């Protein structure tokens, strides 16, 4: 079994997930809008809201949906975690995902477990942890 990340957005799912796919080298693998569903199967809100969307990031699928104002809850209690293969890639991904960030919990810095680590909540409200372990990895 493999877990699948499922994110909820407040009307900007398509924009956020398309950006994530671009920044993280993924691919949009499906978008189903509210207007695509039978009228009695639609969620509250307009036809352009995303009912379900998926992106592939390597072997991982990340899925998402828009929620109406009444149903939306700000994400909490988790972070989407990315381990980058290099310091340069860490800097690129951090720069792209943190642009316009709501909150930067921990700015990029060295820790005892990673050459570079950061925590932030992006402009869409998604909480991220980025890491480049580098020479601090086990067995190195």
């Amino acid at each position: 079994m493999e877990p699948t990340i499922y994110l909820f957005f407040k009307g900007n799912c398509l924009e956020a997930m398309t950006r994530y796919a671009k920044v993280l080298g993924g691919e949009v693998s499906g978008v189903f809008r509210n207007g695509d569903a039978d009228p009695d199967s639609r969620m509250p809100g307009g036809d352009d809201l995303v009912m379900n969307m998926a992106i592939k990031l390597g072997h991982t699928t990340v899925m998402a949906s828009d929620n109406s104002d009444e149903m939306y809850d700000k994400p909490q209690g988790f972070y989407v975690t990315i381990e980058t293969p290099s310091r340069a890639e860490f800097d690129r991904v951090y720069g792209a995902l943190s642009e316009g960030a709501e909150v930067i919990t921990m700015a990029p810095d060295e820790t005892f477990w990673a050459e570079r680590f950061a925590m932030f909540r992006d402009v869409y409200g998604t909480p991220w942890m980025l890491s480049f372990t580098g020479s601090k990895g086990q067995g190195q």
Side-chain angles (χ1 to χ4, degrees):
M1 287 188 259
E2 288 187 30
T4 299
I5 298 167
Y6 202 106
L7 302 173
F8 290 96
F9 296 91
K10 195 173 180 179
N12 53 8
C13 178
L14 183 63
E15 177 184 335
M17 292 287 282
T18 301
R19 182 175 179 189
Y20 298 161
K22 181 179 177 184
V23 169
L24 299 172
E27 169 184 325
V28 174
S29 58
V31 179
F32 302 97
R33 294 179 186 271
N34 207 26
D36 298 331
D38 294 329
D40 55 339
S41 298
R42 294 180 185 176
M43 61 185 185
D47 288 348
D48 287 336
L49 291 179
V50 173
M51 255 187 152
N52 192 45
M53 180 174 182
I55 60 174
K56 289 288 286 179
L57 301 173
H59 297 290
T60 301
T61 299
V62 178
M63 299 178 76
S65 171
D66 282 315
N67 268 18
S68 64
D69 288 343
E70 302 81 37
M71 293 181 64
Y72 179 77
D73 288 320
K74 190 172 190 168
Q76 62 182 13
F78 74 95
Y79 282 81
V80 178
T81 305
I82 302 287
E83 173 72 28
T84 64
S86 69
R87 169 73 185 261
E89 187 66 357
F90 176 98
D91 292 342
R92 184 192 70 77
V93 171
Y94 178 79
L97 291 181
S98 69
E99 184 178 334
E102 282 185 6
V103 174
I104 296 179
T105 307
M106 183 175 174
D109 204 355
E110 184 173 347
T111 65
F112 68 88
W113 69 86
E115 286 186 25
R116 205 77 168 145
F117 181 80
M119 296 172 65
F120 59 94
R121 184 176 296 275
D122 73 14
V123 70
Y124 306 107
T126 303
W128 293 93
M129 285 194 318
L130 298 181
S131 183
F132 169 59
T133 302
S135 64
K136 294 188 176 194
Q138 290 184 351
Q140 295 186 8

